[in-house]
Amino acid sequence: MTVLVLGSGGREHALARAIAADPVVAAVHVAPGNPGTAAFATNHPVDAADPVAVTTLARDLSADLVVVGPEAPLVAGVADALSEAGIACFGPSAAAAQLEGSKAFAKQVMTDAGVPTARALVCTDRASLDAAFDSFGAPYVVKHDGLAAGKGVVVTDDREAAMTHGLGCDRVVVEEFLDGPEASLFVITDGIHALPLQPAQDFKRVGENDEGPNTGGMGAYSPLGWLPENTVAEVMTSVVHPTLARMRELGTPFAGLLYVGLAITSKGPRVVEFNARFGDPETEAVLPLLTTPLAQVLYAAATGVLDRFEALDFDDRSGVCVVLAADGYPGTPRKGGMITLPADTETVHVIHAGTALDTEGHLVAAGGRVLVVVATGDDLTAARDAAYAHIKTIDFPDGFCRPDIARKAIQKQI
Ligand code: AMP
Ligand code: GLY
């Protein structure tokens, strides 16, 4: 099988790596890819969000399967263009990707499907914002109604800051605050059948102990020992299947990766958000534990025959990944910082998220999240220790990481 992966970040490197390990895969291509994917796949300088360019590339490569990494190509209709051209694509149509692209649409689907989530109000001006803040009380949760790469959400006790964020966007969704640890559940679906991956936890804030602004994610681990055992089954029944059914009713079936962002509250799991693609960096922590061949599962989902698989299998190790970001992130990250990487080991590998080669061929920082150090181990402690030990051997003076990824889980403080 020839597979084309779209995107250039850490998630795409991790997806391409797992796809390359599937025995049916003969060639992996990535567009545009990064220096990490170039080591084992063929990169193509094509804009992943350009439906015509992507379709042409997939045809030229005789790709059997296209796997869309980020949300932008989905919202731009890349999956629609590929399916019109008769090319199997893992990723939802633009209409179905609105589950991620519009917070207001997602809320409406959840309401219609009876999915447990935070109560919410759509606001467009000062009066409606004031009314929503009065109704829900602090902390205030204000979400930009559009794609914002994880940075359009403000959660604050400061009513003025909440108002400023609300007035700074055309349309926002104001929500009831959900109290409880978060979990990310990824579900592979062909629109009807659905298979959950092992849940992971992401670290959204930039600083230790969840301080500072939201980011795209600073690290992740899996499995979640603290998660009540029936949670995944419960979420499949109360969230995933009703949502897929509602999307079919709307005439926009959702096929691809449904990312269910959950808050595990005292009243049970509640949906914080849906995304229409794999999460980053949770994907980096989870995929090394997956033992089911990934390309075959994604192909089955893309061609409507996911029921050929009964379940996804995971080995009983733990995975931890830690993001090395460039100074300044999530504001304006410093670009061009030199990086020297040690060799990967049997249990640790480095994923490229925002790197480039300079004119002399040196590896340099080229984004906010630059590297993702991924470790597996017999338990969370072993994986975590291996990840942080490896980071010490990476030479990247402009980089920083959170020191507390997976720490509370190990200390049983969740
Ligand atoms: P979102 O883009 O909707 O995932 O929001 C980003 C982050 O903001 C989430 O991962 C949560 O940490 C936080 N957040 C979003 N909605 C809520 C909510 N209703 N209650 C508490 N925290 C929230
Ligand atoms: N890790 C959060 C996200 O991918 O949106």
Side-chain angles (χ1 to χ4, degrees), residues 284-369:
E284 286 90 314
V286 171
L287 288 185
L289 309 173
L290 177 72
T291 53
T292 309
L294 183 64
Q296 293 173 53
V297 178
L298 300 183
Y299 185 77
T303 53
V305 292
L306 189 60
D307 53 333
R308 289 188 185 158
F309 289 84
E310 252 175 47
L312 301 177
D313 295 319
F314 291 83
D315 67 27
D316 56 11
R317 290 175 304 148
S318 296
V320 172
C321 72
V322 180
V323 169
L324 279 171
D327 285 340
Y329 181 74
T332 307
R334 189 183 306 165
K335 292 202 176 159
M338 297 285 267
I339 302 165
T340 307
L341 291 177
D344 289 350
T345 71
E346 215 173 287
T347 56
V348 188
H349 63 273
V350 176
I351 292 287
H352 292 235
T355 66
L357 297 177
D358 71 9
T359 46
E360 280 156 27
H362 292 137
L363 192 64
V364 295
R369 295 186 293 176

Side-chain angles (χ1 to χ4, degrees), residues 34-378:
N34 64 37
T37 59
F40 63 94
T42 310
N43 286 347
H44 300 270
V46 165
D47 177 4
D50 178 340
V52 174
V54 166
T55 306
T56 305
L57 176 64
R59 264 212 200 97
D60 290 349
L61 296 171
S62 303
D64 300 291
L65 173 67
V66 179
V67 176
V68 185
E71 57 274 26
L74 297 169
V75 172
V78 163
D80 306 77
L82 287 163
S83 78
E84 256 166 55
I87 300 165
C89 173
F90 182 79
S93 66
Q98 285 305 301
L99 267 190
E100 169 164 2
S102 165
K103 301 269 185 203
F105 175 78
K107 272 290 165 189
Q108 191 59 50
V109 169
M110 286 189 248
T111 306
D112 295 345
V115 166
T117 184
R119 287 178 299 133
L121 291 166
V122 177
C123 302
T124 50
D125 56 17
R126 182 178 286 275
S128 54
L129 283 161
D130 261 323
F133 295 160
D134 287 341
S135 159
F136 298 139
Y140 307 104
V141 181
V142 185
K143 302 185 174 188
H144 174 66
D145 185 34
L147 290 182
K151 289 182 267 178
V153 177
V154 165
V155 181
T156 177
D157 283 318
D158 179 345
R159 184 155 173 156
E160 228 161 276
M163 180 60 80
T164 305
H165 184 62
L167 293 175
C169 312
D170 285 348
R171 215 164 106 101
V172 292
V173 174
V174 176
E175 281 190 7
E176 162 195 19
F177 179 76
L178 295 173
D179 203 3
E182 288 181 48
S184 303
L185 182 69
F186 300 158
V187 178
I188 292 174
T189 176
D190 60 6
I192 298 173
H193 313 99
L195 297 177
L197 279 83
Q198 182 169 286
Q201 189 176 48
D202 180 20
F203 291 74
K204 292 248 164 66
R205 302 279 182 152
V206 74
E208 186 169 6
N209 295 322
D210 295 327
E211 280 171 17
N214 263 326
T215 68
M218 294 297 291
Y221 67 93
S222 179
L224 311 181
W226 51 268
L227 195 67
E229 212 172 302
N230 59 350
T231 306
V232 172
E234 186 183 338
V235 172
M236 293 303 288
T237 307
S238 67
V239 175
V240 174
H241 285 296
T243 299
L244 296 180
R246 180 65 188 148
M247 292 300 281
R248 291 195 298 272
E249 267 170 31
L250 290 171
T252 54
F254 185 97
L257 195 290
L258 182 64
Y259 166 145
V260 186
L262 294 162
I264 311 301
T265 73
S266 53
K267 295 180 200 136
R270 298 281 181 274
V271 176
V272 173
E273 62 164 342
F274 284 137
N275 290 314
R277 36 92 195 157
F278 282 92
D280 197 353
E282 298 97 306
T283 300
E284 286 90 314
V286 171
L287 288 185
L289 309 173
L290 177 72
T291 53
T292 309
L294 183 64
Q296 293 173 53
V297 178
L298 300 183
Y299 185 77
T303 53
V305 292
L306 189 60
D307 53 333
R308 289 188 185 158
F309 289 84
E310 252 175 47
L312 301 177
D313 295 319
F314 291 83
D315 67 27
D316 56 11
R317 290 175 304 148
S318 296
V320 172
C321 72
V322 180
V323 169
L324 279 171
D327 285 340
Y329 181 74
T332 307
R334 189 183 306 165
K335 292 202 176 159
M338 297 285 267
I339 302 165
T340 307
L341 291 177
D344 289 350
T345 71
E346 215 173 287
T347 56
V348 188
H349 63 273
V350 176
I351 292 287
H352 292 235
T355 66
L357 297 177
D358 71 9
T359 46
E360 280 156 27
H362 292 137
L363 192 64
V364 295
R369 295 186 293 176
V370 178
L371 300 166
V372 187
V373 179
V374 186
T376 55
D378 288 339

